[in-house]
């Protein structure tokens, strides 16, 4: 068995695998946070447009699309109930 700076190669490999796992978990968490932030920003834009847009003109097609598409998109009953607020 070869000793490298007080630890064996197999111990060092185990440490590196543990570090890799930790870094992959951190990356996954970071990617989820970015995805969530993107969804929040897009949702905020759509809500802003629906709440502040001129319903008689440019926002009307968006409102109609949301009213048609959202109930089909949502899978949970509680979420579907919220979709009736538009």
């Amino acid at each position: 068995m070869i000793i490298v700076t007080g630890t064996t190669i197999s111990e060092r490999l185990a440490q590196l695998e543990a570090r890799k796992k930790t870094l992959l978990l951190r990356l996954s968490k970071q990617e989820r946070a970015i995805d969530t932030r993107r969804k929040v920003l897009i949702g905020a834009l759509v809500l802003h447009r629906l709440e502040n847009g001129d319903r008689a003109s440019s926002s009307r097609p968006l409102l109609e699309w949301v009213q048609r598409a959202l109930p089909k998109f949502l899978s949970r009953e509680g979420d579907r109930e919220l979709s009736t607020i538009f």
Side-chain angles (χ1 to χ4, degrees):
M1 191 174 293
I2 300 175
I3 305 292
V4 179
T5 62
T7 60
T8 66
I9 292 175
S10 61
E11 289 172 335
R12 182 68 179 135
L13 283 173
Q15 291 170 350
L16 290 171
E17 283 296 325
R19 178 75 173 139
K20 178 182 176 182
K21 184 178 178 182
T22 299
L23 290 173
L24 287 173
L25 287 171
R26 188 182 305 166
L27 177 61
S28 176
K29 182 178 178 181
Q30 182 181 31
E31 289 171 343
R32 282 192 315 274
I34 289 169
D35 186 53
T36 298
R37 182 69 179 151
R38 180 180 59 86
K39 290 173 184 177
V40 167
L41 292 172
I42 291 170
L45 171 65
V46 170
L47 284 173
H48 175 77
R49 183 69 180 261
L50 291 173
E51 292 169 352
N52 300 313
D54 179 8
R55 290 191 183 239
S57 63
S58 63
S59 293
R60 188 73 183 160
L62 177 61
L63 175 62
E64 290 170 356
W65 175 77
V66 168
Q67 287 172 332
R68 268 191 331 271
L70 192 58
K72 296 174 190 171
F73 175 75
L74 300 173
S75 59
R76 293 186 349 204
E77 187 59 37
D79 292 343
R80 278 195 219 110
E81 290 170 8
L82 288 176
S83 73
T84 63
I85 62 174
F86 295 107

